[in-house]
């Protein structure tokens, strides 16, 4: 089901891009006003859902960290976060090193001006992004410490409601939202020259995924003092499954099979770590989103984010990734508010990030799920050392 949903979504998103590019140059004043208002209203609905997504998924994720082995949970959570933000900083360093050297035509100073929107309907979110993040952390920790099962169950149900809203409201609206944005970009007249740049950026990001997987397995081999190839060589089917489904959740069964085939991983550890990391370890998504927001910032607004802002963005994005749903584009959906509040992206910027993210989401998911094997090797070594200390 998730595979079919992912494939249908990307087909609709690509269709929206193509339709928008084709009709854009022929828009008249009346159609322009309709598209401007439609884009604004859809953007408001999407941003309205963002705090609900944050609250629903982060609370539920934190509340479930009530396993008996609290030490290995803490270690697993720490290495997942370190890997995620490490991937983000790696991607950011690539962006600062590579993007200024690419011949990127900026939309900040070229193209036709859009008319003033005549009809504007604002739908303010129930609370802002940082409020929803801190509230989710506080409620999640409260449920974890008190072990309140009724509240945990209630937020599990709330998570399911939010997931339904994402699948039945947000995802169906995205193609129309993206079509409106690309129609306006085509009308302005700059997007045609920018499309080749986005293809180059996607190739750079995919290469960065492969490099980061190599880094993770190298570190895992050094930490565990075991051959990481004994884990990585079994992950071929998992990588292909992730490419086809664009979902860590849909790839979970194959990932467990791959981990169980390894001689250096213990089933009693991987039965916990593989499902756990599939929800909290999103190194591929971090690489993708960080590089893409830098590219879109340069294309649309004429500048890269300053280093201080990007560092804070990556640190917070790593927290958002901990609660992202295991469905296509979950990390990006959970962080839309972060992109608007910290980086100042408007509707056009969000639409561009959504589109190019969707076009390569399968590779980011594959990076996430294959990277879980390296972290599981670290967790296995950590558990063995803990057992030796207890035995002494």
């Amino acid at each position: 089901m998730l595979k079919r949903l992912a494939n249908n979504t990307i087909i609709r998103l690509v269709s929206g891009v193509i339709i928008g590019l084709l009709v854009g140059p022929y828009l008249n004043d009346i159609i322009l006003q309709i598209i401007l208002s439609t884009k604004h209203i859809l953007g408001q609905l999407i941003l309205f859902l963002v705090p609900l997504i944050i609250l629903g998924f982060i609370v539920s994720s934190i509340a479930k960290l009530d396993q008996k082995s609290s030490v290995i949970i803490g270690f697993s959570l720490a290495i997942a976060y370190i890997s995620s933000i490490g991937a983000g900083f790696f991607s950011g360093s690539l962006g600062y090193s590579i993007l200024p050297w690419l011949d990127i035509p900026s939309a900040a100073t070229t193209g036709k001006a859009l008319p003033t929107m005549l009809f504007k309907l604002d739908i303010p979110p129930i609370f802002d992004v940082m409020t929803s993040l801190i509230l989710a952390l506080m409620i999640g920790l409260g449920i974890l410490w008190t072990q309140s099962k009724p509240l945990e169950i209630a937020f599990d149900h709330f998570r399911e409601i939010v997931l339904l809203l994402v699948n039945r409201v947000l995802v169906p609206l995205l193609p129309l939202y993206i079509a409106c944005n690309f129609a306006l970009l085509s009308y302005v007249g700059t997007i045609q020259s920018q499309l080749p740049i986005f293809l180059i950026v996607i190739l750079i990001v995919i290469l960065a995924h492969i490099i980061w997987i190599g880094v993770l397995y190298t570190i895992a081999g050094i930490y565990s003092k075991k051959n990481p190839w004994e884990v990585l060589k079994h992950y071929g089917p998992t990588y292909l499954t992730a490419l086809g489904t664009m979902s860590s959740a849909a790839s979970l069964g194959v990932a467990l099979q791959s981990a169980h085939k390894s001689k250096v991983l213990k089933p009693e550890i991987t039965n916990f770590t593989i499902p756990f990391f599939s929800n909290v370890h999103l190194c591929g998504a971090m690489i993708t989103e960080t590089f893409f927001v830098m590219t879109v910032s340069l294309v649309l607004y004429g500048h890269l984010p300053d280093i201080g802002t990007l560092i804070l963005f990556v640190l917070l994005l790593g927290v958002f990734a901990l609660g992202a749903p295991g469905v296509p584009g979950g990390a990006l959906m959970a962080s839309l508010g972060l992109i608007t509040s910290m980086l100042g992206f408007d509707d056009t910027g969000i639409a561009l990030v959504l589109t190019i993210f969707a076009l390569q989401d399968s590779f980011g998911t594959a990076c996430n799920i294959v990277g879980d094997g390296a972290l599981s090797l670290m967790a296995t070594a950590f558990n063995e050392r803990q057992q030796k200390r207890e035995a002494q």
Side-chain angles (χ1 to χ4, degrees):
M1 180 179 176
L2 281 172
K3 180 178 181 179
R4 186 168 61 251
L5 173 64
N7 292 336
N8 291 339
T9 299
I10 196 167
I11 290 172
R12 289 196 297 266
L13 290 177
V14 173
S15 300
V17 172
I18 295 172
I19 292 171
L21 291 175
L22 291 176
V23 304
Y26 307 102
L27 299 178
N28 56 33
D29 291 341
I30 296 175
I31 302 299
L32 264 177
Q33 287 297 334
I34 293 173
I35 291 179
L36 281 169
S37 297
T38 302
K39 184 197 78 164
H40 178 75
I41 293 171
L42 293 178
Q44 290 289 295
L45 282 173
I46 290 171
L47 294 180
F48 177 83
L49 288 173
V50 168
L52 302 182
I53 294 172
I54 295 170
L55 190 64
F57 286 101
I58 290 184
V59 170
S60 184
S61 296
I62 294 175
K64 292 188 180 305
L65 300 180
D66 56 349
Q67 308 288 330
K68 294 180 180 179
S69 303
S70 58
V71 176
I72 195 168
I73 289 176
F75 178 80
S76 299
L77 193 62
I79 60 175
Y81 181 74
I82 291 171
S83 173
S84 294
I85 64 170
F89 290 136
F90 169 62
S91 182
S93 64
L94 287 179
Y96 286 121
S97 302
I98 296 174
L99 290 176
W101 295 97
L102 296 179
D103 184 17
I104 298 181
S106 175
T109 57
T110 61
K112 293 185 290 186
L114 292 171
T116 303
M117 191 188 315
L118 298 180
F119 177 75
K120 184 178 181 181
L121 176 64
D122 292 329
I123 309 172
I126 191 169
F127 30 63
D128 62 29
V129 175
M130 290 308 300
T131 301
S132 60
L133 175 60
I134 299 302
L135 181 63
L137 291 173
M138 293 298 101
I139 294 176
L141 289 173
I143 294 174
L144 177 63
W145 291 337
T146 62
Q147 295 189 356
S148 174
K149 288 299 178 182
L151 274 179
E152 182 182 342
I153 293 171
F155 274 95
D156 284 344
H157 289 311
F158 181 66
R159 183 182 189 273
E160 294 301 317
I161 292 171
V162 172
L163 185 57
L164 283 175
L165 290 174
V166 169
N167 290 332
R168 297 186 182 181
V169 177
L170 182 58
V171 173
L173 289 178
L174 284 180
L176 178 58
Y177 177 63
I178 286 171
C180 290
N181 277 278
F182 272 84
L184 296 174
L185 288 171
S186 182
Y187 171 81
V188 170
T190 57
I191 189 64
Q192 290 84 350
S193 61
Q194 295 160 355
L195 285 177
I197 291 297
F198 289 125
L199 295 178
I200 294 172
V201 166
I202 288 173
L203 292 177
I204 293 172
V205 165
I206 293 172
L207 180 60
H209 291 159
I210 297 171
I211 293 173
W212 190 252
I213 289 174
V215 169
L216 282 182
Y217 276 89
T218 300
I219 294 173
I222 294 171
Y223 177 80
S224 65
K225 298 180 181 179
K226 295 177 182 177
N227 185 2
W229 178 245
E230 290 297 325
V231 179
L232 183 58
K233 69 180 182 181
H234 299 292
Y235 264 84
T238 304
Y239 189 89
L240 294 176
T241 302
L243 285 181
T245 62
M246 291 190 290
S247 169
S248 298
S251 307
L252 184 56
V254 182
L256 282 168
Q257 291 177 354
S258 298
H260 289 166
K261 291 178 181 178
S262 173
K263 297 178 181 179
V264 296
L265 296 179
K266 293 183 178 180
E268 59 268 27
I269 300 298
T270 56
N271 286 341
F272 160 68
T273 59
I274 296 299
F276 182 76
F277 288 138
S278 72
N279 285 288
V280 301
H281 180 226
L282 280 80
C283 58
M286 293 286 292
I287 290 173
T288 301
E289 188 168 343
T290 303
F291 202 85
F292 283 173
V293 297
M294 295 177 74
T295 304
V296 171
S297 179
L298 187 58
V299 167
L300 290 185
Y301 313 118
H303 62 84
L304 292 170
D306 64 80
I307 295 178
T309 300
L310 190 72
I311 290 174
L312 183 58
F313 174 79
V314 169
L315 292 173
L316 291 177
L317 184 60
V319 176
F320 277 59
L322 296 179
V327 297
L332 181 59
M333 298 300 181
S335 63
L336 286 179
L338 197 61
I339 294 173
T340 58
S341 62
M342 289 199 63
L343 302 181
F345 278 28
D346 56 13
D347 291 345
T348 303
I350 292 174
L352 273 177
V353 173
L354 284 169
T355 303
I356 56 177
F357 191 97
L359 292 176
Q360 67 71 61
D361 193 25
S362 56
F363 291 95
T365 301
C367 179
N368 295 339
I369 201 75
V370 174
D372 294 347
L375 299 195
S376 294
L377 181 57
M378 296 183 204
T380 300
F382 176 81
N383 184 67
E384 290 175 350
R385 292 171 187 175
Q386 286 293 112
Q387 290 178 340
K388 287 181 180 178
R389 291 193 191 101
E390 294 173 359
Q392 290 175 354

